[in-house]
Amino acid sequence: MPKTILKGYIEVPEDELSVVIKALHQHKALTHAEPGCLVFTVEQDVNEPTRFSVYEEFVDKAAFEHHQARVADSDWGRVTGNVKRFYTVVTEAE
């Protein structure tokens, strides 16, 4: 079954950084608990604190789409409304 992988980064407005960082812990925990989540990392860049690298793997497209729908209607979705996202999504056979 082909995995769905998202990789890239987000840029957080400097004045919203503390709110996003505060919400990130719960966002990670909820995502890791989702059925079909294989890997989920969001790491703040050491040199550019407003940039966070993002890498996600889900067992299939349906699990990935479920994640996207959950996030859109979550606290993380609301907190990151002004965040710029730079992602690539691919489907990859295991």
Side-chain angles (χ1 to χ4, degrees):
M1 182 177 302
K3 295 189 287 189
T4 297
I5 299 170
L6 178 147
K7 52 189 167 183
Y9 64 95
I10 60 174
E11 290 183 351
V12 179
E14 194 167 346
D15 62 331
E16 298 178 20
L17 195 54
S18 63
V19 174
V20 169
I21 290 171
K22 185 177 178 182
L24 183 56
H25 179 72
Q26 181 183 28
H27 176 53
K28 286 180 179 180
L30 291 172
T31 301
H32 283 131
E34 289 178 17
C37 177
L38 299 171
V39 178
F40 184 80
T41 61
V42 181
E43 301 293 330
Q44 189 174 21
D45 189 290
V46 186
N47 299 312
E48 294 183 54
T50 59
R51 179 179 284 199
F52 293 75
S53 297
V54 180
Y55 184 83
E56 307 175 5
E57 286 186 17
F58 289 86
V59 294
D60 58 20
K61 186 176 180 181
F64 175 74
E65 288 175 350
H66 172 78
H67 167 70
Q68 293 294 304
R70 183 195 64 77
V71 169
D73 191 36
S74 71
D75 184 54
W76 177 257
R78 288 181 286 283
V79 166
T80 62
N82 294 324
V83 166
K84 293 181 183 175
R85 292 165 169 82
F86 302 89
Y87 297 144
T88 301
V89 178
V90 296
T91 300
E92 183 176 285
E94 291 190 72

